[in-house]
Coordinates of all heavy atoms in Angstrom, one line a residue:
I1 N -22.1 6.1 -9.1 CA -22.5 7.3 -8.3 C -23.3 6.7 -7.1 O -23.1 7.2 -6.0 CB -23.3 8.3 -9.1 CG1 -22.4 8.9 -10.1 CG2 -24.0 9.3 -8.2 CD1 -23.2 9.7 -11.2
A2 N -24.2 5.7 -7.3 CA -25.0 5.1 -6.2 C -24.0 4.5 -5.2 O -24.3 4.6 -4.0 CB -26.0 4.1 -6.8
Y3 N -23.0 3.8 -5.7 CA -22.0 3.2 -4.8 C -21.4 4.2 -3.9 O -21.2 4.0 -2.7 CB -21.0 2.4 -5.6 CG -19.9 1.7 -4.8 CD1 -20.3 0.5 -4.2 CD2 -18.7 2.2 -4.6 CE1 -19.3 -0.2 -3.4 CE2 -17.7 1.5 -3.9 CZ -18.0 0.3 -3.3 OH -17.1 -0.4 -2.5
I4 N -21.0 5.3 -4.5 CA -20.3 6.4 -3.7 C -21.3 7.0 -2.7 O -21.0 7.2 -1.5 CB -19.8 7.5 -4.6 CG1 -18.5 7.0 -5.3 CG2 -19.4 8.8 -3.8 CD1 -18.0 7.9 -6.4
D5 N -22.6 7.2 -3.1 CA -23.6 7.7 -2.1 C -23.8 6.8 -0.9 O -24.1 7.3 0.2 CB -24.9 7.9 -2.9 CG -24.9 9.1 -3.8 OD1 -24.1 10.0 -3.6 OD2 -25.8 9.1 -4.7
M6 N -23.6 5.5 -1.1 CA -23.8 4.6 0.1 C -22.6 4.4 0.9 O -22.6 3.7 2.0 CB -24.3 3.2 -0.4 CG -23.3 2.4 -1.2 SD -24.1 0.8 -1.7 CE -22.9 -0.3 -1.0
I7 N -21.4 4.9 0.6 CA -20.2 4.7 1.4 C -20.3 5.5 2.6 O -20.5 6.7 2.6 CB -18.9 5.1 0.6 CG1 -18.8 4.2 -0.6 CG2 -17.7 5.1 1.5 CD1 -17.6 4.6 -1.5
D8 N -20.2 4.8 3.8 CA -20.2 5.4 5.1 C -18.9 5.0 5.7 O -18.0 4.5 5.1 CB -21.4 4.9 5.9 CG -21.4 3.4 6.1 OD1 -20.5 2.7 5.7 OD2 -22.4 2.9 6.7
D9 N -18.7 5.4 7.0 CA -17.4 5.1 7.7 C -17.1 3.6 7.7 O -15.9 3.2 7.5 CB -17.5 5.6 9.1 CG -17.5 7.1 9.2 OD1 -17.1 7.8 8.2 OD2 -17.8 7.7 10.3
T10 N -18.1 2.8 7.9 CA -17.9 1.3 7.9 C -17.4 0.8 6.6 O -16.4 0.0 6.5 CB -19.1 0.6 8.4 OG1 -19.5 1.1 9.7 CG2 -18.9 -0.9 8.5
L11 N -18.1 1.2 5.5 CA -17.7 0.7 4.2 C -16.4 1.3 3.8 O -15.6 0.6 3.1 CB -18.8 1.1 3.1 CG -18.6 0.5 1.7 CD1 -18.3 -1.0 1.7 CD2 -19.8 0.9 0.9
A12 N -16.1 2.5 4.2 CA -14.8 3.2 3.9 C -13.7 2.4 4.5 O -12.6 2.1 3.9 CB -14.8 4.6 4.3
R13 N -13.9 1.9 5.8 CA -12.9 1.1 6.4 C -12.7 -0.2 5.7 O -11.6 -0.7 5.6 CB -13.3 0.9 7.9 CG -12.2 0.2 8.7 CD -12.5 0.2 10.2 NE -12.2 1.5 10.7 CZ -13.0 2.4 11.1 NH1 -14.3 2.2 11.1 NH2 -12.6 3.6 11.6
Q14 N -13.8 -0.8 5.3 CA -13.7 -2.1 4.6 C -12.9 -1.9 3.2 O -12.1 -2.8 2.9 CB -15.1 -2.6 4.3 CG -15.2 -3.9 3.5 CD -16.6 -4.4 3.2 OE1 -17.6 -3.8 3.7 NE2 -16.7 -5.4 2.4
I15 N -13.2 -0.9 2.5 CA -12.5 -0.6 1.3 C -11.0 -0.4 1.6 O -10.1 -1.0 0.9 CB -13.0 0.6 0.5 CG1 -14.5 0.4 0.0 CG2 -12.1 1.1 -0.6 CD1 -15.2 1.6 -0.4
Q16 N -10.7 0.3 2.6 CA -9.3 0.5 3.0 C -8.6 -0.8 3.3 O -7.5 -1.1 2.9 CB -9.2 1.5 4.2 CG -7.7 1.6 4.6 CD -7.6 2.0 6.1 OE1 -8.4 1.5 6.9 NE2 -6.6 2.8 6.5
Q17 N -9.3 -1.7 4.1 CA -8.7 -2.9 4.5 C -8.5 -3.9 3.3 O -7.6 -4.6 3.2 CB -9.6 -3.6 5.6 CG -9.5 -2.9 6.9 CD -10.5 -3.4 7.9 OE1 -11.5 -4.1 7.6 NE2 -10.4 -2.9 9.1
E18 N -9.5 -3.8 2.3 CA -9.3 -4.6 1.1 C -8.1 -4.2 0.3 O -7.3 -5.0 -0.2 CB -10.6 -4.5 0.3 CG -11.8 -5.3 0.8 CD -13.1 -5.0 0.0 OE1 -13.0 -4.4 -1.1 OE2 -14.1 -5.4 0.5
I19 N -7.9 -2.9 0.2 CA -6.8 -2.4 -0.6 C -5.5 -2.8 0.1 O -4.5 -3.2 -0.5 CB -6.9 -0.9 -0.8 CG1 -8.0 -0.5 -1.7 CG2 -5.6 -0.3 -1.3 CD1 -8.3 1.0 -1.8
L20 N -5.5 -2.6 1.4 CA -4.2 -2.9 2.2 C -4.0 -4.4 2.1 O -2.8 -4.9 2.1 CB -4.3 -2.4 3.6 CG -4.3 -0.9 3.7 CD1 -4.5 -0.5 5.2 CD2 -3.1 -0.3 3.2
A21 N -5.0 -5.3 2.1 CA -4.8 -6.7 2.1 C -4.3 -7.2 0.8 O -3.4 -8.1 0.7 CB -6.2 -7.4 2.4
T22 N -4.7 -6.5 -0.3 CA -4.3 -7.0 -1.7 C -3.0 -6.3 -2.1 O -2.2 -6.8 -2.8 CB -5.4 -6.7 -2.7 OG1 -5.7 -5.4 -2.8 CG2 -6.6 -7.6 -2.5
D23 N -2.8 -5.0 -1.7 CA -1.7 -4.2 -2.1 C -0.7 -3.8 -1.0 O 0.2 -3.0 -1.3 CB -2.2 -3.0 -2.9 CG -2.9 -3.5 -4.2 OD1 -2.4 -4.3 -4.9 OD2 -4.1 -3.0 -4.3
G24 N -1.0 -4.2 0.2 CA -0.1 -3.8 1.3 C 1.3 -4.2 1.1 O 2.2 -3.4 1.5
H25 N 1.6 -5.3 0.5 CA 3.0 -5.7 0.3 C 3.7 -4.7 -0.7 O 4.9 -4.5 -0.5 CB 3.1 -7.1 -0.3 CG 2.5 -7.3 -1.6 ND1 1.1 -7.3 -1.8 CD2 3.1 -7.5 -2.8 CE1 0.9 -7.5 -3.1 NE2 2.0 -7.6 -3.7
I26 N 3.0 -4.2 -1.6 CA 3.6 -3.2 -2.5 C 3.9 -1.9 -1.8 O 4.9 -1.3 -1.9 CB 2.6 -2.9 -3.7 CG1 2.4 -4.2 -4.5 CG2 3.1 -1.7 -4.5 CD1 1.3 -4.1 -5.6
I27 N 2.9 -1.5 -0.9 CA 3.1 -0.3 -0.1 C 4.4 -0.5 0.8 O 5.2 0.4 0.8 CB 1.9 0.0 0.7 CG1 0.7 0.3 -0.2 CG2 2.1 1.1 1.7 CD1 -0.7 0.3 0.5
D28 N 4.5 -1.6 1.4 CA 5.6 -1.9 2.3 C 6.9 -1.9 1.5 O 7.9 -1.3 2.0 CB 5.4 -3.2 3.0 CG 4.3 -3.2 4.0 OD1 3.9 -2.1 4.5 OD2 3.8 -4.3 4.4
A29 N 6.9 -2.5 0.3 CA 8.1 -2.6 -0.5 C 8.6 -1.2 -0.9 O 9.8 -0.8 -0.8 CB 7.9 -3.4 -1.7
V30 N 7.6 -0.3 -1.4 CA 8.0 1.0 -1.8 C 8.5 1.8 -0.6 O 9.5 2.5 -0.7 CB 6.8 1.7 -2.4 CG1 7.0 3.2 -2.6 CG2 6.4 1.1 -3.8
N31 N 7.8 1.7 0.5 CA 8.3 2.5 1.7 C 9.7 2.0 2.2 O 10.5 2.8 2.6 CB 7.3 2.4 2.8 CG 6.1 3.2 2.5 OD1 6.1 4.2 1.8 ND2 4.9 2.9 3.1
R32 N 9.9 0.7 2.0 CA 11.2 0.1 2.5 C 12.3 0.6 1.6 O 13.4 1.1 2.0 CB 11.2 -1.4 2.4 CG 11.8 -2.1 3.6 CD 11.7 -3.6 3.6 NE 11.2 -4.3 2.4 CZ 10.0 -4.8 2.3 NH1 9.1 -4.7 3.3 NH2 9.6 -5.4 1.3
V33 N 12.1 0.6 0.3 CA 13.1 1.1 -0.7 C 13.3 2.6 -0.6 O 14.5 3.0 -0.5 CB 12.8 0.6 -2.1 CG1 13.8 1.3 -3.1 CG2 12.9 -0.9 -2.3
F34 N 12.3 3.3 -0.7 CA 12.4 4.8 -0.7 C 12.6 5.4 0.6 O 13.0 6.6 0.7 CB 11.2 5.4 -1.5 CG 11.3 5.1 -2.9 CD1 10.5 4.1 -3.5 CD2 12.1 5.8 -3.8 CE1 10.5 3.8 -4.8 CE2 12.1 5.5 -5.1 CZ 11.4 4.5 -5.6
G35 N 12.4 4.6 1.7 CA 12.6 5.1 3.0 C 14.0 4.7 3.5 O 14.4 5.1 4.6
A36 N 14.7 3.9 2.8 CA 16.0 3.4 3.2 C 17.1 4.5 2.9 O 16.9 5.4 2.2 CB 16.3 2.2 2.4
S37 N 18.2 4.2 3.5 CA 19.4 5.0 3.2 C 19.8 4.8 1.8 O 19.4 3.8 1.2 CB 20.5 4.7 4.2 OG 21.0 3.4 3.9
E38 N 20.6 5.6 1.2 CA 21.1 5.4 -0.1 C 21.8 4.1 -0.3 O 21.6 3.4 -1.3 CB 22.1 6.6 -0.5 CG 21.4 7.8 -0.9 CD 22.4 8.9 -1.4 OE1 23.3 8.5 -2.2 OE2 22.3 10.0 -1.0
Q39 N 22.6 3.7 0.7 CA 23.3 2.4 0.7 C 22.4 1.2 0.7 O 22.5 0.3 -0.1 CB 24.3 2.3 1.8 CG 25.2 1.1 1.8 CD 26.2 1.1 2.9 OE1 26.0 1.7 3.9 NE2 27.2 0.3 2.8
Q40 N 21.4 1.3 1.5 CA 20.4 0.2 1.6 C 19.6 0.1 0.3 O 19.3 -1.0 -0.2 CB 19.4 0.4 2.8 CG 20.1 0.3 4.1 CD 19.2 0.7 5.3 OE1 18.5 1.7 5.1 NE2 19.2 0.0 6.4
A41 N 19.2 1.3 -0.2 CA 18.4 1.3 -1.5 C 19.3 0.8 -2.6 O 18.8 0.0 -3.4 CB 17.9 2.7 -1.8
A42 N 20.5 1.1 -2.7 CA 21.4 0.6 -3.8 C 21.5 -0.9 -3.7 O 21.5 -1.6 -4.7 CB 22.8 1.3 -3.7
L43 N 21.7 -1.4 -2.5 CA 21.8 -2.9 -2.3 C 20.5 -3.5 -2.8 O 20.6 -4.5 -3.5 CB 22.1 -3.2 -0.9 CG 22.1 -4.7 -0.5 CD1 23.3 -5.4 -1.3 CD2 22.3 -4.9 0.9
R44 N 19.4 -3.0 -2.4 CA 18.1 -3.6 -2.8 C 17.9 -3.5 -4.3 O 17.4 -4.5 -4.9 CB 17.0 -2.9 -2.0 CG 15.6 -3.6 -2.3 CD 15.6 -5.0 -1.7 NE 14.3 -5.6 -2.0 CZ 14.1 -6.8 -2.4 NH1 15.1 -7.6 -2.5 NH2 12.9 -7.3 -2.6
I45 N 18.2 -2.4 -4.9 CA 18.1 -2.3 -6.4 C 19.0 -3.3 -7.1 O 18.6 -4.0 -8.0 CB 18.4 -0.9 -6.8 CG1 17.2 0.1 -6.3 CG2 18.5 -0.8 -8.3 CD1 17.5 1.5 -6.5
H46 N 20.2 -3.5 -6.6 CA 21.1 -4.5 -7.1 C 20.5 -5.9 -7.0 O 20.6 -6.7 -7.9 CB 22.5 -4.4 -6.4 CG 23.5 -5.4 -6.9 ND1 24.1 -5.4 -8.1 CD2 23.9 -6.5 -6.3 CE1 24.8 -6.4 -8.3 NE2 24.8 -7.2 -7.1
Q47 N 19.9 -6.2 -5.8 CA 19.3 -7.5 -5.6 C 18.2 -7.7 -6.6 O 18.0 -8.8 -7.2 CB 18.8 -7.7 -4.2 CG 20.0 -7.8 -3.2 CD 19.5 -7.7 -1.8 OE1 18.4 -7.1 -1.5 NE2 20.2 -8.2 -0.8
L48 N 17.3 -6.7 -6.7 CA 16.2 -6.8 -7.7 C 16.6 -7.0 -9.1 O 16.1 -7.8 -9.9 CB 15.3 -5.6 -7.5 CG 14.5 -5.5 -6.2 CD1 13.8 -4.1 -6.1 CD2 13.5 -6.6 -6.1

């Protein structure tokens, strides 16, 4: 609760950047597969 109380815009941006730095590749991969056409998604699923 104390941690949440101290979160301001600067700390919120830092938390966002940490999440994107550690998990950004997952976000990109999900967006690539699910944002792709059916044919592109099927090819990627076959490759995986």
